[in-house]
Amino acid sequence: MYRIKTMNKISPVGLQTFDPEKYAVSDAQEQEHGILVRSAKLHDYDFPTELLAISRAGSGVNNIPLDRCSEKGIVVFSTPGANANAVKELVLCSLLIGSRDIDGGVRWVRDQVDAGIQVDTVVEKAKSAFVGPELYRKTLGIIGLGAIGSLVANTAVMLGMQVYGYDPYLSVDTALRLDSHIHVVKDVEELYRKADYITVHVHFTEQTRHMIDEKALSCMKRGVRFINLARGEIVDDDAMIAALDTGWVASYVTDFPNNKIVQAPHVIAMPHLGASTPESEQNCAVMAARELQDYLEHGNIRRSVNLPDVVLERSGVCRMCIIHKNVPAMLASITTLLARDNVNVENLSNKSKGDYAYTIVDLGTRVDQSVIDDVTNLNNVIRVRVID
């Protein structure tokens, strides 16, 4: 039986996908084979030797030590796209509150009431202080056209906006989903020059840290309105505050508040509400659970952040799953060793990602521990698992 440890409150809809005859699932599991996590920080967590996979019910994996997981042969999954609609809707909200000073207007109304003023007698005179432009026929720039960015792009077109998108890693599938009126540019500075509003939807990595810095902001139109529902570290707070102070940026809507940025003018900060809908939490939990199940039961990897995705239809009598370094001649070494032990290879799939690779081998016969040990002892092999 597989043991699954839950590190946060996971939606019951996701937990119900586990077959109780195959899985023991709770936050009290020890020597777990899999972990389901949302926001719990695992950098100092002592991984048991039995741990095979971690599935994050969400898209960001900053709370998981990816390098350590890769070195130990632990697959890390995330759930890109499961919260896409929730974030898309919050982007639409952010466009409106960043354009028309709805937040300031609501606070002003409450302040009048708190001061004992009959608010209905003063609204007509005061409302001009909260005027802002419409979205219709304005230009929206979208950095990152993945699951969320593509939904935002298509919706913005329906709102009557001109849309420019930038994504150097744009997939064919995503490109086909984009409305034909969307302008996909190869140079992000072209997007900066044209956009009245910019929203960013990229993963946070060392490469994207502070990608919105003083130089990037200087390339944008004066009065641009900027939305960051991706990760706080993508924006250089000091550069953004300076741009807000001068009016170069008219408003900054962020889902990642900190004490510094919240005190700047024209900042609308939300408490990380992007995926905070019951539908999103359910979608993420179901996807995360199914990723774990497919890997534990069949060895298939889908939507991993540290290892390549490899999916192979089952054939043969048993399946050998091998995590290894991405170095030359590994496949030859594995198949040569299996042939030496008189084990027939029925089917095989191998892919790499950075320094690591993953190989699934379907075998014509069951193998004993000596064969598994022989493969495990090959140079650059990290982990070997056999599934009957």
Side-chain angles (χ1 to χ4, degrees), residues 23 289-300 302 311:
Y23 294 92
R290 288 179 174 163
E291 289 167 345
L292 270 184
Q293 293 161 25
D294 198 15
Y295 180 65
L296 294 177
E297 295 180 35
H298 305 292
N300 291 324
R302 305 174 193 264
V311 177

Side-chain angles (χ1 to χ4, degrees), residues 317-379:
V317 174
C318 71
R319 168 167 286 189
M320 181 175 284
C321 305
I322 308 162
I323 299 172
H324 54 87
K325 293 290 185 68
N326 182 23
V327 297
M330 281 305 302
L331 277 183
S333 297
I334 293 167
T335 55
T336 298
L337 190 152
L338 291 171
R340 189 198 70 189
D341 289 336
N342 202 31
V343 178
N344 187 52
V345 173
E346 299 284 342
N347 204 355
L348 180 150
S349 184
N350 164 269
K351 289 185 180 178
S352 62
K353 185 174 186 176
D355 294 332
Y356 297 91
Y358 182 59
T359 301
I360 297 177
V361 187
D362 282 343
L363 305 173
T365 58
R366 285 186 173 82
V367 293
D368 58 30
Q369 189 60 46
S370 65
V371 175
I372 299 172
D373 290 342
D374 285 345
V375 177
T376 303
N377 291 329
L378 284 172
N379 287 336

Side-chain angles (χ1 to χ4, degrees), residues 58-105:
S59 55
V61 289
N62 299 36
N63 56 322
I64 301 171
L66 296 184
D67 288 345
R68 183 156 65 98
C69 289
S70 299
E71 291 165 2
K72 291 181 174 294
I74 299 168
V75 184
V76 179
F77 299 98
S78 68
T79 57
N83 61 6
N85 189 70
V87 179
K88 176 207 75 177
E89 291 184 1
L90 195 62
V91 173
L92 298 181
C93 172
S94 300
L95 284 169
L96 292 167
I97 64 176
S99 190
R100 305 173 68 176
D101 189 8
I102 298 167
D103 178 59

Side-chain angles (χ1 to χ4, degrees), residues 107-117:
R107 283 188 283 108
W108 178 86
V109 168
R110 292 188 179 278
D111 289 344
Q112 305 314 299
V113 174
D114 290 343
I117 298 170

Side-chain angles (χ1 to χ4, degrees), residues 148-279:
I148 297 168
S150 58
L151 283 180
V152 172
N154 289 340
T155 304
V157 169
M158 290 188 285
L159 292 175
M161 301 187 79
Q162 293 285 326
V163 179
Y164 283 76
Y166 170 78
D167 191 332
Y169 307 106
L170 183 65
S171 70
V172 174
D173 288 344
T174 300
L176 291 172
R177 291 198 298 268
L178 291 175
D179 187 285
S180 60
H181 294 92
I182 296 166
H183 308 279
V184 178
V185 298
K186 295 182 178 180
D187 183 356
V188 71
E189 291 192 7
E190 181 180 353
L191 180 151
Y192 291 157
R193 290 193 299 269
K194 294 182 180 294
D196 302 299
Y197 303 80
I198 295 176
T199 179
V200 59
H201 300 285
V202 299
H203 290 294
F204 171 63
T205 65
E206 285 306 310
Q207 287 68 44
T208 60
R209 180 187 293 275
H210 289 181
M211 68 178 290
I212 306 302
D213 56 9
E214 182 180 2
K215 179 181 178 182
L217 289 166
S218 69
C219 295
M220 299 176 192
K221 295 170 67 171
R222 183 176 185 84
V224 67
R225 289 167 163 83
F226 197 93
I227 299 166
N228 176 17
L229 306 188
R231 276 293 179 271
E233 296 88 348
I234 289 170
V235 174
D236 181 336
D237 283 345
D238 291 331
M240 179 60 72
I241 290 169
L244 289 162
D245 285 339
T246 63
W248 192 264
V249 174
S251 67
Y252 176 45
V253 184
T254 178
D255 209 17
F256 303 94
N258 60 60
N259 287 7
K260 177 189 287 187
I261 198 67
V262 167
Q263 296 180 59
H266 310 297
V267 171
I268 301 165
M270 300 175 290
H272 202 182
L273 298 178
S276 295
T277 68
E279 296 89 348

Side-chain angles (χ1 to χ4, degrees), residues 2 4 10-19 23 25 35-37 53-58 75 77-79 82 281-304 310-311 385:
Y2 294 112
I4 307 298
I10 305 295
S11 169
V13 177
L15 299 182
Q16 289 166 8
T17 67
F18 288 100
D19 183 346
Y23 294 92
V25 183
I35 291 175
L36 269 175
V37 64
I54 300 169
S55 196
R56 160 79 159 90
V75 184
F77 299 98
S78 68
T79 57
E281 291 181 4
Q282 290 172 9
N283 292 340
C284 288
V286 169
M287 184 182 290
R290 288 179 174 163
E291 289 167 345
L292 270 184
Q293 293 161 25
D294 198 15
Y295 180 65
L296 294 177
E297 295 180 35
H298 305 292
N300 291 324
I301 295 181
R302 305 174 193 264
R303 293 178 291 272
S304 173
V310 181
V311 177
R385 185 164 63 106

